[in-house]
Amino acid sequence: MENAMFCYQCEQTLGGKGCVKSGVCGKNPTVANLQDVLIHELKGIGFYGQKNLEKGLKIRSEINKFMVDGMFSTLTNVNFDPTRFVEYVKKAEEIKEELKNALGEIKNVPEAAKYKAPDTMEGMLEDAKHVGIMADEALDMDIRSLRELLIYGFKGMAAYAHHAYILGKFDDEVNHFFYKGLSGTIDDSLSVDDLFNLNMELGKTDLKCMEVLDAAVTSAFGNPEPTEVLITKKKGPFIIVSGHDFKDLKELLEQTEGKGIGIYTHCEMLPANAYPELKKFKHLVGNYGGAWQKQQEEFDGIPGCILMTTNCVQKPKESYQDRLFTTSIVGMPDCPHIDEVNGKKDFTPIIEKALELGGWQEDEAEKRITIGFAHNAILSHANEIIDAVKGGKIKHFFLIGGCDGARPGRNYYTEFAEKTPKDTIILTLACGKFRFNKLDLGTVAGFPRVLDCGQCSDSYSAVKVAGALAEAFGCGVNDLPLSLVLSWYEQKAVGILLALLSLGIKDIRLGPTLPAFITPNILQVLVDKFGIKPIATPEQDLAAILGK
């Protein structure tokens, strides 16, 4: 019989309180508890790593990368394979000992850092009872809340740091903050104010991390260009690529060239179609499907393959389990996995499977949408946008973005977009855009009313655009005719929210529900300091924003 679990890191956690028998995401208690042990180990690594840095000792780049990948592996919908977590925990124990031994004798070591993980799954699962989120029942609720907020922000930032690492880019400021921040989650001397400040510091660091990732992606694949993307099917064998990793997509495109296989993006990979170094491949056909939570329906029995490159995977139905391939951080029991060997991946197994399945038998009537409005594209038209605002043609900007999910209340974002006035522009990013990105909302002042800025990491683009507009108008970002209406599901959205708050951005509307890990006291601080608001109805929120 499996152990109990407790997890409340995502928006759809059971009853808005916490998953205790199994995850709504599909995560079973074995995986959940192994993840708890891994996080506990990473906190210990944080403590010893921070002590190494304070002594001026250098930490090996492999350890920095492990911290990033270890945190990312526990993010919602990434890895469901218990055997992979056992290996992560074993590796974490080795790294912790290495960092500890480099220090010699030290005093005042937290009990969490002294912890030594067993080397068997059974032992780890037994220990999980004592290291999980609710293990210390006497812990102050607000302290726990801010510690968990910090940990979830780290999981989100780890995703972006991982993507940058894949492209050979990293930043020591970002790497070093993992040690400082995680060490802070086991430091009983830190007050509520101390932990709040650490969360704001994480927000600033996450913004830096997104900047590093933006530079890595654009240097590798060019700046996104406004591009019309096919969203319907073409006859022939195909592979659908989901997740976020453009490097995997490019390697697959190179290995499938001339083989008669169409490559489709899915969900957060949609923006790939706008990058010059990717869209030059003629067999990058377009985008298939919508947001991640519809995959069990959209992939059901398809005559082609799916490659999951990062998070957003769901437990597959039997009808496509044999054709869903994972790679990198992603893990799913009983699904084939493609490893990297000497810096390269051999996609032959998925290519052969796609050819064997044969693909779609006929073309669908063509439909297209326009994407590719990252900061470079938008700011190249900054003068026209500024003139249109000054001339009264554009009255307001809405940033409607974030994670999508299956909760019924998410139709709010569709209705909100539909009800925005025709003299306004919608900036959007992340998979929340699938709620409205196929609607024809027309144009304003020569621009499409919906400007797709890209993936969730392209929140950096939105920040750049807002900063440039504020500078042009000689005001602060909060004084712009700009409103943020965000949806959240998992931990990258937590990191992005902290990044926005660290910039002092106010009056953000957040939904469809507020995080279960935020206590009433901490929520009140966020309301008082930043004016955070839960979404109401589209009509009420639009009236409040536009002063009607």
Side-chain angles (χ1 to χ4, degrees):
M1 183 175 175
E2 289 185 305
N3 293 327
M5 61 174 279
F6 183 83
C7 181
Y8 60 1
Q9 68 178 7
C10 84
E11 189 269 333
Q12 286 175 195
T13 195
L14 188 65
K17 294 179 180 179
C19 295
V20 293
K21 292 184 178 178
S22 62
V24 171
C25 64
K27 179 171 62 175
N28 65 36
T30 296
V31 170
N33 290 326
L34 290 171
Q35 288 183 353
D36 284 346
V37 175
L38 176 58
I39 291 295
H40 198 66
E41 282 282 271
L42 294 174
K43 292 175 183 178
I45 292 174
F47 173 79
Y48 291 115
Q50 179 62 15
K51 292 298 181 187
N52 272 260
L53 293 172
E54 287 172 2
K55 278 196 167 189
L57 300 174
K58 187 172 175 61
I59 297 176
R60 291 190 294 115
S61 60
E62 292 83 0
I63 295 178
N64 292 332
K65 177 70 161 50
F66 179 83
M67 282 291 276
V68 164
D69 288 354
M71 288 300 294
F72 186 19
S73 71
T74 67
L75 189 145
T76 302
N77 290 359
V78 174
N79 198 328
F80 294 82
D81 188 344
T83 60
R84 297 269 294 279
F85 284 106
V86 170
E87 295 308 310
Y88 275 127
V89 172
K90 288 180 179 178
K91 183 68 175 174
E93 188 61 46
E94 290 176 14
I95 287 171
K96 191 166 69 174
E97 282 300 304
E98 177 184 332
L99 293 172
K100 177 183 174 183
N101 292 337
L103 292 168
E105 184 109 13
I106 58 170
K107 297 178 180 179
N108 302 319
V109 179
E111 287 301 314
K114 294 177 184 176
Y115 170 74
K116 183 171 175 59
D119 58 4
T120 67
M121 183 184 296
E122 292 73 23
M124 293 174 193
L125 291 174
E126 183 61 30
D127 280 7
K129 301 172 186 176
H130 311 293
V131 302
I133 296 165
M134 296 297 182
D136 181 0
E137 294 181 4
L139 184 65
D140 180 87
M141 288 176 61
D142 295 334
I143 294 288
R144 179 186 285 117
S145 178
L146 286 167
R147 286 179 177 181
E148 292 304 310
L149 179 61
L150 193 61
I151 287 165
Y152 304 149
F154 270 122
K155 292 186 182 194
M157 186 165 75
Y160 301 142
H162 166 86
H163 296 313
Y165 261 113
I166 292 294
L167 297 171
K169 304 291 184 184
F170 60 87
D171 181 83
D172 281 340
E173 179 188 337
V174 173
N175 287 334
H176 292 174
F177 187 69
F178 275 92
Y179 302 104
K180 178 181 178 180
L182 287 172
S183 179
T185 65
I186 54 174
D187 184 347
D188 290 333
S189 74
L190 297 188
S191 66
V192 165
D193 286 343
D194 294 329
L195 286 166
F196 183 85
N197 291 336
L198 262 183
N199 274 282
M200 291 301 101
E201 191 175 347
L202 185 142
K204 290 179 182 176
T205 311
D206 195 26
L207 195 61
K208 173 70 173 177
C209 188
M210 286 189 277
E211 181 183 7
V212 172
L213 178 56
D214 180 77
V217 171
T218 53
S219 63
F221 307 112
N223 281 301
E225 304 164 342
T227 303
E228 286 195 344
V229 180
L230 187 73
I231 57 170
T232 45
K233 298 180 285 193
K234 300 290 284 184
K235 180 180 177 180
F238 64 90
I239 298 171
I240 296 165
V241 184
S242 194
H244 299 73
D245 200 310
F246 292 165
K247 184 171 183 252
D248 282 335
L249 174 62
K250 187 175 183 186
E251 284 194 32
L252 181 64
L253 286 165
E254 290 169 343
Q255 292 179 36
T256 50
E257 200 160 24
K259 288 185 167 63
I261 298 175
I263 305 298
Y264 295 78
T265 57
H266 172 258
C267 194
E268 286 268 47
M269 288 295 283
L270 166 63
N273 294 275
Y275 285 82
E277 287 300 307
L278 297 172
K279 70 179 193 174
K280 70 182 182 183
F281 291 93
K282 301 304 181 191
H283 62 301
L284 179 59
V285 179
N287 190 75
Y288 174 77
W292 65 272
Q293 81 279 358
K294 292 187 175 180
Q295 65 190 259
Q296 290 178 329
E297 171 191 336
E298 294 175 342
F299 296 165
D300 190 14
I302 58 171
C305 293
I306 309 107
L307 177 66
M308 298 298 306
T309 65
T310 55
N311 58 306
C312 300
V313 67
Q314 288 184 305
K315 185 177 180 180
K317 291 184 176 181
E318 285 187 17
S319 67
Y320 66 91
Q321 183 173 297
D322 66 331
R323 57 205 65 177
L324 187 145
F325 290 69
T326 62
T327 190
S328 185
I329 299 291
V330 190
M332 183 63 69
D334 304 319
C335 286
H337 186 78
I338 295 173
D339 278 316
E340 184 175 87
V341 180
N342 297 323
K344 288 286 183 182
K345 295 182 182 180
D346 182 358
F347 289 110
T348 300
I350 192 170
I351 291 169
E352 290 179 345
K353 185 70 174 178
L355 291 170
E356 173 196 324
L357 290 167
W360 285 302
Q361 296 303 302
E362 56 186 33
D363 291 344
E364 231 178 356
E366 288 196 2
K367 290 183 183 176
R368 296 178 185 271
I369 58 173
T370 303
I371 66 168
F373 293 96
H375 60 88
N376 187 72
I378 294 179
L379 293 180
S380 69
H381 296 283
N383 290 337
E384 296 104 294
I385 293 172
I386 291 163
D387 288 345
V389 173
K390 288 180 176 177
K393 293 179 181 177
I394 298 175
K395 295 286 180 58
H396 206 87
F397 295 87
F398 296 94
L399 174 59
I400 311 175
C403 311
D404 201 8
R407 196 180 290 272
R410 288 180 180 270
N411 60 347
Y412 164 95
Y413 297 94
T414 310
E415 293 173 15
F416 190 99
E418 288 176 321
K419 294 177 188 297
T420 53
K422 297 189 185 305
D423 56 2
T424 62
I425 278 183
I426 297 170
L427 304 173
T428 190
L429 43 81
C431 61
K433 65 178 166 243
F434 284 99
R435 290 281 165 174
F436 54 84
N437 69 337
K438 294 173 185 175
L439 301 176
D440 183 6
L441 297 182
T443 62
V444 57
F447 296 94
R449 284 201 52 233
V450 177
L451 300 181
D452 185 344
C453 297
Q455 293 185 336
C456 57
S457 59
D458 292 308
S459 300
Y460 175 71
S461 275
V463 169
K464 287 272 285 186
V465 169
L469 290 175
E471 186 177 341
F473 287 111
C475 65
V477 171
N478 289 314
D479 301 315
L480 287 170
L482 168 68
S483 300
L484 281 69
V485 184
L486 306 181
S487 56
W488 82 284
Y489 173 72
E490 40 87 323
Q491 299 80 63
K492 284 182 289 182
V494 175
I496 290 168
L497 180 63
L498 291 174
L500 295 172
L501 297 181
S502 76
L503 291 170
I505 293 176
K506 296 185 176 181
D507 299 325
I508 296 171
R509 283 172 165 77
L510 184 66
T513 61
L514 296 178
F517 51 84
I518 298 291
T519 61
N521 287 339
I522 301 305
L523 177 60
Q524 194 60 51
V525 171
L526 296 176
V527 170
D528 292 344
K529 194 171 181 66
F530 300 107
I532 279 191
K533 302 171 176 63
I535 59 171
T537 67
E539 293 84 358
Q540 288 172 318
D541 287 343
L542 276 166
I545 289 168
L546 299 173
K548 294 180 181 178

